[in-house]
Amino acid sequence: MINISRLAGYNKQDIKNVLLLLQELVITYKDNKVKLNYQSRPVILFLSTLITTAGLGFYFGIRNIITRYNEYSLNRRLRRPSLIRQSSNILKNGSREIFIPKGKGTVTRIIIPKPNNDQYAADKYLYKDFARNQEILSQQKGLIFNSKFLNQLTIIWRILIPKFYCKNTSLLLSQCFFLIFRTWLSLLVAKLDGQIVKNLIAANGRKFSRDLIYWLLIAFPASYTNAAIKYLELRLALGFRTNLTRYIHDMYLDKTMAYYKIDLNSSEIENIDQYITNDVTNFCQSLCGLFSSMGKPFIDLIFFSVYLRDNLGTGAIMGIFANYLITAILLKRATPSFGKLSSEKAHLEGVYFNRHLDLMTNSEEIGFYKGSLIEKFKLSQNFKKLMDHATKEINITAAYSVLEDYVLKYTWSAWGYIFAGLPVFLDELWPAEDKKKVQKENDSASERKNMRQFITNKRLLLSLADAGSRLMYSIKDVNILTGYTDRVFNLLIQLHKVHSPRFDYGDKRGISDIHGTIQNNYHDGLRFENIPIIIPTSEGSEYTPLINNLNFTIKHKNMLILGSNGCGKTSIARIVAGLWPLYKGLLSKPNDDDIFYLPQKTYFTTGNLRDQIIYPHTYTEMLEMGYNDDYLYHILREVKLEYLLKREGNFNVVKDWKDVFSGGEKQRMSIARVLFKNPKLVILDESTNAVSTDVEDYLFELLILKKIPFITLSHRPLLMKYHDYILEISDEEKGEWKLHDLTSEENLQSIDIEIKEIEEKLSQIDKWEKRKEDIDRYLDGKYDDISIESSIVLPERKSSTTTTTK
């Protein structure tokens, strides 16, 4: 028995209704009189969800079995243990085949489509003309709508979804379907909610139990739908990031060497790694999140407005949307510039990250200099700037959130209650057909109907208010997305600039004066015709050249480019390699694949010992060339590094090789790469200055024995004995140069004369030593022991002098 005295303060009728309901529920469950309509929507939706889930499970199970079988077949075909690592191969259709290890000796095969270079050539005009079109549109008056953000997003959208029949399109359409389906389910839930409350008030136990079961059944597809929307959002963001990253990589890492040239244009873009990694990721996640957060409320507004119009009338709906419009205008004016804030924060995070990266990269050098305090000071400065900006962003966001929450959560909820109560309190707002059904205000059936209608309308109005509030909340998300979009779009603009064959290297005059001609596949060596060596700057060809017009031809000979530091030796190699522009003249050289460059600082890639020898080739390419590990061991023996296999174990050992090798080992490893490559020409930039003299002699003799022509950049004249030509860059007059042919008769005679002069001077060493001893005695005052010859030729003078002693 229930103690009714404990329910004091409650309406007696409500207490009786609750007791009658409980009694009805007990009788219902005892008599099993609750009957479900198996043709009702909740039951059909529940069964459909179960069947769909079972079908998807069967599909993914079969696909998983097929995938595992393909991987098993692939692993059997690739039985070489050294292939159980990341390697790649170019297929016949141009696609790249990549093998990625999964662990336990298994690999996964992934196919990356061939880059469409025609697309990049066509797309560059979109980015090139964007600024000009924006300027023209901004000058035109009378435009109803012009958004830089939407124009940028439209151009980037071609990358995210390049064609209609693609995976991202199916994900997007699936997400649209589930968004609409979730709104329709919300309508069903709202109606069912009102029906449950009606049965509860009417104390109808059987219908209440039936509707409660319907509620539990419809909850399953509703929960399934919410999970599906979140899943599709994440998959779509991943698909967008994949397409955008591949598009960027295809331009950033191709033969035009955009990764190097974009650094010369650092005034336009800094910390490009921050753009490619964090900014692209944040852009894709923000875009997909905004689509989901705005798509659902927008669909809710349409569906709920149509349904509520029949219950509340057109006037109430117009009032609701007028409220939305006023709120949007108010929040738009009060919304801070979240786009600029997010963009600035991303920039400061990139600077702070790169400061840490520089510290890790140069930790040994900083340790030798004892520079921890100054590095700490610089790092603290960058961190303070980041924290100040983060504090500013938090303060601005907090102030805006107060206004946003008050208007959207509480004010709109109050309006929702007002509009939901209009049909109950104001008879004139009811539709005409409902007026005929309402006969008596005090009739109990009418009260239950009003209660059900109020619950339904209130739930829909609150959902409508929630949809509107989420749209208003999206104003902040749109501003944040605007910042990420602007940074990604700026990245694409700069990549298209440096990817262009007519890249002006930051010429601020707006013109391209790169008029030099490069002739590839030149089989007669290397030829320079009137080529000035100019550093690429904003002044273009007007910048003072490091070296005046070079004009010479080297045919399968070895040349030494001699000069002091900073005179332009490495700059010549940069022009030959295509890193710097050829402003004037004609450069004839072999094909790029036939030239090998050894920079001053040897680069070591992430991988095993084998990768360091065959770089920049992969292991698969090495096998296709017909080489194996025995051949690599032979190369190590030739450069006197065979002991590395005993020290490290085998070719498959993975280490941070730049910290493992000494300076001399690094340079000998670079010569090993030359032997593996066997190019038609190799350019050595101070590539033997860290080895001993005997090893240096051996390495140059090895290159000569292998008949590999080389050009050496150095400041040491002693290396001339290994070369046939010397290009001497003058130190006194900047830009002047001279070419000496060491194989000509004149130079050979001059060398013989110089050798004879040296031999004559060496023959007088005994006399010079005796002369030195006599002078020392003379200075000490020992005049009697001195016997100085009357005429001795001093080594530093060409004329003889006569000395008389006291």
Side-chain angles (χ1 to χ4, degrees):
M1 294 295 293
I2 298 177
N3 191 352
I4 301 181
S5 62
R6 294 183 180 180
L7 301 178
Y10 289 88
N11 188 290
K12 294 182 178 181
Q13 184 63 36
D14 293 338
I15 297 174
K16 291 181 179 180
N17 290 337
V18 172
L19 294 176
L20 289 175
L21 174 63
L22 292 176
Q23 183 180 2
E24 183 72 20
L25 287 175
V26 173
I27 297 173
T28 299
Y29 289 127
K30 286 183 177 181
D31 298 338
N32 295 323
K33 293 182 179 180
V34 178
K35 295 182 180 180
L36 298 179
N37 183 7
Y38 294 100
Q39 295 182 353
S40 62
R41 290 176 179 176
V43 175
I44 293 177
L45 288 174
F46 176 76
L47 295 177
S48 300
T49 305
L50 287 180
I51 295 173
T52 303
T53 304
L56 290 176
F58 178 77
Y59 168 75
F60 285 111
I62 295 297
R63 194 177 71 168
N64 188 32
I65 294 174
I66 296 175
T67 302
R68 289 183 177 275
Y69 175 78
N70 292 335
E71 291 180 358
Y72 174 76
S73 302
L74 179 65
N75 293 322
R76 290 192 60 184
R77 182 165 57 90
L78 303 175
R79 279 299 182 185
R80 293 183 291 268
S82 54
L83 270 181
I84 309 303
R85 49 181 290 276
Q86 183 173 348
S87 60
S88 62
N89 186 27
I90 303 297
L91 303 179
K92 293 182 179 179
N93 59 359
S95 300
R96 181 174 292 275
E97 180 186 44
I98 295 181
F99 302 100
I100 299 178
K102 294 183 61 177
K104 298 182 180 180
T106 61
V107 296
T108 299
R109 178 174 175 263
I110 296 178
I111 303 296
I112 297 179
K114 177 183 177 181
N116 186 3
N117 295 323
D118 295 336
Q119 180 183 359
Y120 307 133
D123 287 352
K124 71 178 181 180
Y125 295 103
L126 295 174
Y127 300 93
K128 181 179 180 181
D129 298 337
F130 175 78
R132 184 180 62 185
N133 294 337
Q134 281 297 121
E135 183 178 357
I136 294 175
L137 289 174
S138 62
Q139 294 175 355
Q140 293 179 0
K141 298 181 179 180
L143 291 177
I144 299 177
F145 186 73
N146 176 30
S147 174
K148 176 183 176 182
F149 162 66
L150 289 182
N151 291 335
Q152 290 176 337
L153 193 59
T154 301
I155 296 175
I156 300 178
W157 192 261
R158 303 186 181 196
I159 304 173
L160 304 179
I161 301 183
K163 55 185 179 179
F164 182 78
Y165 297 101
C166 66
K167 185 176 182 180
N168 288 344
T169 303
S170 61
L171 292 174
L172 186 60
L173 293 178
S174 300
Q175 192 174 22
C176 292
F177 167 77
F178 278 104
L179 287 174
I180 297 174
F181 186 66
R182 184 170 66 175
T183 301
W184 183 67
L185 286 177
S186 300
L187 286 173
L188 293 182
V189 170
K191 294 180 180 179
L192 189 58
D193 188 21
Q195 186 67 30
I196 291 175
V197 173
K198 174 188 173 182
N199 295 331
L200 182 64
I201 300 301
N204 191 333
R206 281 181 291 180
K207 291 184 177 180
F208 176 82
S209 302
R210 180 200 63 188
D211 292 338
L212 191 60
I213 295 174
Y214 286 160
W215 178 278
L216 296 175
L217 291 178
I218 204 172
F220 184 72
S223 302
Y224 187 91
T225 301
N226 292 330
I229 291 175
K230 187 62 178 177
Y231 170 78
L232 291 171
E233 177 185 334
L234 296 176
R235 285 297 304 271
L236 187 61
L238 183 62
F240 283 172
R241 183 184 179 186
T242 300
N243 286 359
L244 189 56
T245 303
R246 285 180 179 176
Y247 186 92
I248 292 172
H249 283 178
D250 289 341
M251 288 193 297
Y252 186 60
L253 296 166
D254 67 351
K255 293 184 178 180
T256 61
M257 291 177 286
Y259 56 88
Y260 176 85
K261 296 177 181 178
I262 201 169
D263 188 55
L264 300 176
N265 208 25
S266 59
S267 60
E268 300 291 340
I269 185 171
E270 297 180 5
N271 303 325
I272 189 172
D273 54 336
Q274 176 79 8
Y275 282 80
I276 298 178
T277 54
N278 290 351
D279 289 337
V280 169
T281 303
N282 292 334
F283 166 76
C284 295
Q285 291 178 351
S286 180
L287 178 61
C288 294
L290 183 67
F291 177 78
S292 178
S293 62
M294 292 188 68
K296 169 69 166 60
F298 183 76
I299 297 173
D300 287 350
L301 285 175
I302 297 175
F303 275 72
F304 295 158
S305 298
V306 172
Y307 183 82
L308 286 172
R309 179 183 174 275
D310 298 333
N311 296 336
L312 301 180
T314 305
I317 298 300
M318 292 179 64
I320 292 174
F321 280 97
N323 180 33
Y324 290 168
L325 180 61
I326 295 173
T327 305
I329 296 174
L330 175 64
L331 292 181
K332 179 64 178 178
R333 293 182 177 180
T335 301
S337 181
F338 289 108
K340 292 182 179 179
L341 290 174
S342 61
S343 179
E344 180 66 19
K345 182 180 179 182
H347 170 71
L348 293 175
E349 286 178 345
V351 173
Y352 180 63
F353 171 79
N354 279 275
R355 175 59 63 182
H356 274 285
L357 185 62
D358 292 339
L359 182 63
M360 292 185 293
T361 304
N362 305 295
S363 59
E364 182 175 339
E365 291 78 4
I366 294 173
F368 279 122
Y369 283 116
K370 308 298 182 184
S372 57
L373 293 181
I374 185 64
E375 294 299 326
K376 177 184 177 182
F377 174 73
K378 293 180 179 179
L379 198 62
S380 299
Q381 278 187 325
N382 293 330
F383 181 73
K384 184 177 183 302
K385 291 180 181 179
L386 178 59
M387 291 300 100
D388 291 343
H389 179 81
T391 303
K392 175 184 176 182
E393 187 176 9
I394 291 173
N395 294 336
I396 293 175
T397 304
Y400 175 75
S401 298
V402 173
L403 174 63
E404 190 178 45
D405 287 350
Y406 179 77
V407 174
L408 300 183
K409 286 187 177 180
Y410 301 104
T411 305
W412 280 19
S413 298
W415 281 105
Y417 280 109
I418 292 174
F419 285 112
L422 288 178
V424 179
F425 299 108
L426 299 178
D427 181 70
E428 59 270 14
L429 292 180
W430 281 68
E433 58 272 13
D434 290 335
K435 289 183 180 181
K436 298 179 181 179
K437 298 180 180 180
V438 181
Q439 300 295 334
K440 294 181 180 180
E441 285 293 328
N442 296 326
D443 185 71
S444 60
S446 178
E447 290 181 0
R448 290 193 296 271
K449 180 177 180 180
N450 289 339
M451 181 61 67
R452 184 194 66 178
Q453 196 67 37
F454 174 79
I455 294 298
T456 302
N457 292 342
K458 188 199 77 168
R459 186 178 184 91
L460 292 178
L461 276 169
L462 290 179
S463 299
L464 189 65
D466 180 67
S469 63
R470 279 184 281 128
L471 282 178
M472 299 305 159
Y473 280 125
S474 300
I475 294 177
K476 180 174 64 177
D477 298 334
V478 170
N479 287 330
I480 295 175
L481 177 60
T482 301
Y484 290 133
T485 303
D486 190 65
R487 286 178 64 87
V488 171
F489 194 81
N490 184 35
L491 170 64
L492 294 173
I493 287 178
Q494 301 306 322
L495 285 177
H496 275 283
K497 281 185 179 179
V498 299
H499 191 264
S500 173
R502 307 303 297 178
F503 174 51
D504 58 5
Y505 291 82
D507 196 331
K508 299 300 183 182
R509 299 171 299 168
I511 59 175
S512 179
D513 55 357
I514 303 175
H515 304 298
T517 302
I518 298 179
Q519 177 188 359
N520 293 307
N521 299 319
Y522 184 70
H523 301 292
D524 295 334
L526 193 65
R527 180 174 66 185
F528 282 71
E529 292 188 9
N530 301 320
I531 296 178
I533 306 300
I534 302 175
I535 300 176
T537 63
S538 59
E539 299 180 18
S541 61
E542 301 298 327
Y543 191 76
T544 303
L546 292 174
I547 305 174
N548 294 326
N549 295 345
L550 289 176
N551 198 351
F552 64 87
T553 301
I554 301 298
K555 295 185 177 181
H556 306 295
K557 298 292 184 179
N558 305 325
M559 183 175 71
L560 172 65
I561 300 180
L562 192 63
S564 60
N565 294 331
C567 67
K569 302 186 300 295
T570 305
S571 302
I572 297 176
R574 292 189 181 113
I575 291 180
V576 176
L579 300 179
W580 282 11
L582 183 63
Y583 286 101
K584 299 177 183 178
L586 171 65
L587 172 62
S588 301
K589 63 176 183 177
N591 189 26
D592 288 335
D593 293 334
D594 297 327
I595 306 178
F596 202 68
Y597 305 87
L598 296 186
Q600 294 183 12
K601 184 179 180 181
T602 307
Y603 171 73
F604 291 96
T605 182
T606 302
N608 54 33
L609 180 60
R610 182 190 301 105
D611 295 331
Q612 313 314 312
I613 305 174
I614 66 178
Y615 187 82
H617 297 285
T618 63
Y619 182 64
T620 304
E621 292 173 341
M622 187 194 86
L623 296 178
E624 292 177 351
M625 295 165 65
Y627 301 140
N628 53 25
D629 290 346
D630 294 336
Y631 179 70
L632 299 185
Y633 176 74
H634 175 71
I635 290 178
L636 291 180
R637 287 188 58 187
E638 289 190 311
V639 296
K640 300 184 181 299
L641 288 177
E642 69 277 7
Y643 63 86
L644 291 179
L645 287 178
K646 296 181 180 179
R647 188 180 75 185
E648 306 300 338
N650 53 58
F651 283 111
N652 295 317
V653 177
V654 178
K655 291 185 177 181
D656 192 359
W657 298 104
K658 64 181 177 61
D659 297 329
V660 173
F661 294 146
S662 65
E665 289 174 338
K666 291 178 180 179
Q667 292 191 338
R668 280 182 284 171
M669 184 62 70
S670 64
I671 299 298
R673 293 176 179 178
V674 174
L675 299 182
F676 177 80
K677 178 73 173 180
N678 192 25
K680 294 181 180 179
L681 176 66
V682 60
I683 298 180
L684 313 173
D685 191 356
E686 301 285 358
S687 299
T688 58
N689 58 357
V691 298
S692 59
T693 304
D694 56 333
V695 175
E696 183 179 55
D697 292 339
Y698 172 78
L699 293 178
F700 276 108
E701 293 294 340
L702 181 63
L703 292 177
I704 295 173
L705 179 64
K706 296 291 184 178
K707 296 181 179 181
I708 301 177
F710 51 86
I711 296 177
T712 305
L713 315 177
S714 179
H715 61 277
R716 296 185 295 158
L718 292 176
L719 298 180
M720 67 173 63
K721 58 184 177 180
Y722 310 112
H723 301 82
D724 303 311
Y725 293 89
I726 296 179
L727 178 64
E728 185 178 2
I729 302 174
S730 177
D731 297 333
E732 292 80 8
E733 298 181 10
K734 188 175 182 180
E736 298 298 324
W737 58 274
K738 294 180 182 179
L739 183 66
H740 305 282
D741 185 1
L742 300 180
T743 61
S744 64
E745 292 291 336
E746 180 181 355
N747 279 283
L748 290 176
Q749 292 177 0
S750 64
I751 292 175
D752 292 338
I753 295 174
E754 187 175 356
I755 291 175
K756 289 181 180 180
E757 291 179 353
I758 293 174
E759 289 176 350
E760 291 177 359
K761 293 180 179 180
L762 291 176
S763 64
Q764 297 183 16
I765 289 179
D766 294 336
K767 294 182 180 180
W768 293 340
E769 290 180 350
K770 185 67 170 68
R771 171 66 172 164
K772 179 179 178 298
E773 293 176 358
D774 292 341
I775 292 175
D776 291 338
R777 291 192 184 96
Y778 177 78
L779 295 175
D780 293 338
K782 300 177 181 179
Y783 307 122
D784 299 335
D785 298 336
I786 298 176
S787 59
I788 304 177
E789 296 183 4
S790 61
S791 178
I792 299 178
V793 179
L794 296 177
E796 64 275 13
R797 299 179 182 177
K798 294 185 179 179
S799 60
S800 61
T801 58
T802 303
T803 304
T804 305
T805 62
K806 293 182 180 181

